[in-house]
Amino acid sequence: MKLSQRVQQLAPSTTLAITAKANAMKKQGLDVIGLGAGEPDFNTPRHILDEAIDAMEKGYTKYTASGGILELKEAIAEKLERDNQLTYDPKTEITVTVGAKGALYNLFQVILDPGDEVIVPAPYWVSYIEQIKLAGGVPVVVEGAEENQFRITPAQLEAAVTEKTKAFILNSPSNPTGVLYPKEELDVLGKVAVDKDLLIVSDEIYEHLIYDPIDHVSIASLSPELYARTIVINGVSKTYAMTGWRIGYAAGPASIIRSMIDLDSHSTSNPTSVAQYAAIAALSGTQEPVYEMIAAFRERRDYVMERLKNMPAISCVRPNGAFYAFLNIEKLLTASGGNFENSDELSKALLEEELVAVVPGSAFGSDRHIRISYATSKMQLEKALDRLEKFFEKQDA
């Protein structure tokens, strides 16, 4: 049976594939350490679990409105005003989706026509490219220089714009680099967007996971002009260790939000009812578990960076946030004498020889890197970094 052209061009998620392979090896009894997963290793906080249980006992287990229950949209509006100084009408300018990934997918479906271009800074999150293509759009990749901490410049953004450009993506803090855009750089990127009449897709899913004295700033908060052309994408997955609950949201112009809701009414129908009530508790309840998780991630980030300093075969830009380190393996590839041609081959060898699962940088638009996640216990990190160091030394000998 012939499949559609759009699905034939689709590349599967490398991060999910790596995690699945590592889990399969673990089931075979192998001592695999997974540094590939993009999710916190903490359980969802107790007060959020209790709210979900209470919702089930009250019978809140039926269909909801496609764009989410009003109580959750009001909690999202309060969060956006409190944390980001952004004001949205919860009835018309906010939609709740099946994860932030679902929000992005719906957004590209409603704003892109065939041939429309979207500027994607690289390194990029794995699904941006595929989602744009599935919507008939054309991803235009702009590489952020490592010496500029992978951040693209206004000149690069402007040079990439054509008459077909519809939008550009901003992910800060970034997956996979953990790098954050400071306010002054957002200001000048925003000026280009206004001058060139671009929509801005601001993926802010890691906004609270920051470990340095630098504030997250939503580009939508910088001016009325930027507010009017920005769609903020966020969710509860990373901040509240709720990846499996699948609750994301989008906030932006009412016409776009309405179209996203209409699309959901013919696809997912609605986000899971019980998860929506849990998300209210996450956004409106105590934030103490978040602070505890941030402190743990900061300690792990610092430990990883200290260990990496003693591995001369690789280098790494210090991440400001998220829970990833993006390791430059270019020197290692050269030193291997042709044993590894790219990040895929090196990642495969790491898994097979040292039982450490990482994600090849090719998934993020850079074959010179691998991504490791420090969203795992300190003990596991120590073991994994011992194995990485052993592997790197062997290749660099």
Side-chain angles (χ1 to χ4, degrees):
M1 182 178 294
K2 184 179 179 181
L3 299 174
S4 67
Q5 289 184 354
R6 64 180 175 276
V7 80
Q8 288 184 58
Q9 70 175 352
L10 185 63
S13 169
T14 306
T15 51
L16 294 181
I18 289 288
T19 301
K21 183 172 181 178
N23 289 337
M25 292 174 69
K26 287 179 184 178
K27 288 181 180 179
Q28 296 171 10
L30 298 173
D31 182 25
V32 175
I33 301 175
L35 300 183
E39 60 181 347
D41 57 312
F42 300 92
N43 194 17
T44 305
R46 182 72 252 175
H47 71 285
I48 300 173
L49 299 176
D50 289 341
E51 186 64 29
I53 293 168
D54 186 56
M56 287 186 280
E57 290 177 341
K58 288 179 178 176
Y60 298 153
T61 56
K62 312 298 183 186
Y63 292 129
T64 74
S66 289
I69 59 175
L70 181 59
E71 297 95 324
L72 176 52
K73 294 201 280 187
E74 288 173 341
I76 292 167
E78 290 171 5
K79 174 259 177 261
L80 289 166
E81 187 161 9
R82 178 185 70 233
D83 295 347
N84 310 106
Q85 296 74 56
L86 293 170
T87 302
Y88 293 99
D89 183 340
K91 294 181 179 179
T92 60
E93 296 177 319
I94 293 173
T95 182
V96 184
T97 57
V98 182
K101 183 181 284 190
L104 286 161
Y105 180 87
N106 287 355
L107 175 61
F108 292 131
Q109 289 290 324
V110 304
I111 67 171
L112 297 180
D113 284 319
D116 284 346
E117 295 175 352
V118 180
I119 297 172
V120 184
Y124 46 72
W125 177 56
V126 296
S127 292
Y128 292 145
I129 300 294
E130 307 307 323
Q131 289 192 352
I132 291 166
K133 291 192 294 186
L134 282 169
V138 178
V140 176
V141 175
V142 176
E143 186 173 351
E146 192 159 357
E147 54 268 27
N148 194 41
Q149 293 194 311
F150 299 108
R151 300 191 298 262
I152 67 166
T153 66
Q156 285 181 293
L157 177 60
E158 187 167 10
V161 176
T162 73
E163 60 181 15
K164 295 181 179 180
T165 307
K166 187 70 174 283
F168 90 95
I169 297 174
L170 186 66
N171 180 208
S172 176
S174 158
N175 175 8
T177 67
V179 167
L180 190 71
Y181 278 84
K183 178 181 178 297
E184 57 270 19
E185 292 187 23
L186 293 177
D187 272 323
V188 286
L189 287 171
K191 287 185 174 70
V192 175
V194 172
D195 291 344
K196 299 297 183 178
D197 194 25
L198 305 179
L199 290 173
I200 303 170
V201 181
S202 185
D203 183 349
E204 304 180 10
I205 193 69
Y206 293 98
E207 65 165 326
H208 290 301
L209 302 182
I210 298 173
Y211 317 116
D212 293 327
I214 176 174
D215 293 329
H216 170 270
V217 176
S218 175
I219 195 169
S221 69
L222 297 180
S223 72
E225 293 81 9
L226 289 170
Y227 173 87
R229 66 181 61 253
T230 300
I231 303 91
V232 174
I233 305 293
N234 210 326
V236 298
S237 294
K238 314 297 184 178
T239 301
Y240 301 99
M242 294 178 68
T243 52
W245 297 77
R246 309 311 302 135
I247 295 294
Y249 58 86
S255 60
I256 291 176
I257 298 300
R258 179 71 258 169
S259 297
M260 292 173 67
I261 293 172
D262 289 344
L263 179 63
D264 256 343
S265 73
H266 293 292
S267 54
T268 60
S269 289
N270 61 267
T272 302
S273 60
V274 172
Q276 291 187 63
Y277 287 95
I280 295 173
L283 295 171
S284 303
T286 176
Q287 303 297 295
E288 190 59 35
V290 178
Y291 304 143
E292 293 172 0
M293 189 167 68
I294 291 171
F297 282 144
R298 180 184 292 112
E299 181 182 354
R300 295 176 191 176
R301 189 278 308 264
D302 292 345
Y303 172 74
V304 168
M305 295 308 296
E306 189 63 31
R307 288 292 305 271
L308 292 178
K309 283 196 296 187
N310 297 317
M311 301 182 194
I314 55 95
S315 61
C316 181
V317 170
R318 185 178 180 86
N320 306 119
F323 34 69
Y324 310 109
F326 204 50
L327 280 56
N328 186 315
I329 58 168
E330 194 165 14
K331 181 180 176 183
L332 196 65
L333 293 175
T334 301
S336 75
N339 289 336
F340 311 114
E341 295 292 335
N342 51 49
S343 62
D344 293 78
E345 292 181 4
L346 187 138
S347 299
K348 182 174 181 288
L350 255 176
L351 183 56
E352 293 175 350
E353 296 178 24
E354 298 296 338
L355 301 181
V356 178
V358 302
V359 185
S362 58
F364 309 104
S366 176
D367 223 3
R368 307 185 309 276
H369 296 82
I370 58 174
R371 190 194 77 177
I372 65 172
S373 167
Y374 47 87
T376 189
S377 71
K378 184 77 174 294
M379 183 178 70
Q380 288 290 88
L381 273 178
E382 289 177 7
K383 287 174 60 178
L385 288 165
D386 286 344
R387 295 179 187 182
L388 285 178
E389 188 169 22
K390 175 185 173 185
F391 180 85
F392 293 158
E393 288 176 350
K394 184 168 58 176
Q395 308 311 318
D396 198 31

